[in-house]
Amino acid sequence: MPLSDLYREVILDHTQHPRNRGHLEGADISIGLNNPTCGDEIVLELKLEGGEVSDARFSGHGCSISMSAASILTSMIKGKPGGDALRLAEAFKRMLRQESVDVDLGELQALEGVQKFPMRVKCATLAVNALEKGLTEWNQKGGASDGQG
Ligand code: ZN
């Protein structure tokens, strides 16, 4: 199977069977972002324990690119330290800018075809931008220094 077909299947699978879709009870972070050029809206909710993303969910609606990106991203960051999740987010955006990446992007690699379409890049990065915003806010609130108030 050509790589492009495999990638298409990954995106289709996540669009038809989104992972981690729904509301996260007792979330530590909730970030809503939208992409007006396409009409995508997403709310990313995260639970953080000991500096680790212990759970992640998303809700909202949008095109297949934005929804599959959110589904893949939430699957990949679960159980990862916040720093690793941020590195993954950064690497994903580098890939979409056609820059070199030294992090394993896993299924996020399936979205690389989007890099040729600037309008769709905004769809693909919506969930990732929500993740970055959320983890940055959490760090600023002192969330990383667990237990010190
Ligand atoms: Zn979109």
Side-chain angles (χ1 to χ4, degrees), residues 114-137:
V114 168
Q115 63 189 203
K116 299 188 205 90
F117 309 98
M119 295 288 276
R120 305 324 294 276
V121 167
K122 289 185 183 175
C123 303
T125 53
L126 192 61
V128 165
N129 286 336
L131 174 72
E132 286 185 328
K133 190 163 183 272
L135 287 175
T136 303
E137 281 182 17

Side-chain angles (χ1 to χ4, degrees), residues 35 38-40 62-66 119-120 122-123:
N35 172 24
C38 179
D40 309 312
C63 64
S64 59
I65 298 294
S66 64
M119 295 288 276
R120 305 324 294 276
K122 289 185 183 175
C123 303

Side-chain angles (χ1 to χ4, degrees), residues 4-127:
S4 57
D5 284 1
L6 180 69
Y7 285 171
R8 208 170 297 135
E9 292 228 335
V10 169
I11 293 169
L12 196 65
D13 182 44
H14 278 273
T15 306
Q16 290 176 339
H17 310 285
R19 277 49 146 200
N20 311 304
R21 190 169 167 85
H23 176 62
L24 185 57
E25 202 63 43
D28 296 300
I29 294 172
S30 177
I31 298 291
L33 284 183
N34 60 10
N35 172 24
T37 56
C38 179
D40 309 312
E41 293 180 13
I42 188 178
V43 178
L44 181 71
E45 292 179 293
L46 302 173
K47 238 180 208 180
L48 295 135
E49 278 169 38
E52 206 172 78
V53 181
S54 59
D55 208 352
R57 301 264 174 91
F58 76 99
S59 52
H61 57 88
C63 64
S64 59
I65 298 294
S66 64
M67 293 294 111
S68 60
S71 174
I72 295 170
L73 182 73
T74 50
S75 305
M76 287 188 71
I77 60 175
K78 269 200 214 182
K80 269 196 167 56
D84 286 6
L86 277 178
R87 265 187 292 282
L88 180 68
E90 178 57 28
F92 178 59
K93 294 213 278 192
R94 287 178 63 89
M95 185 263 282
L96 291 176
R97 291 196 300 263
Q98 306 188 45
E99 295 171 8
S100 68
V101 171
D102 56 1
V103 171
D104 180 10
L105 287 168
E107 288 191 324
L108 283 173
Q109 193 77 45
L111 290 158
E112 74 171 6
V114 168
Q115 63 189 203
K116 299 188 205 90
F117 309 98
M119 295 288 276
R120 305 324 294 276
V121 167
K122 289 185 183 175
C123 303
T125 53
L126 192 61

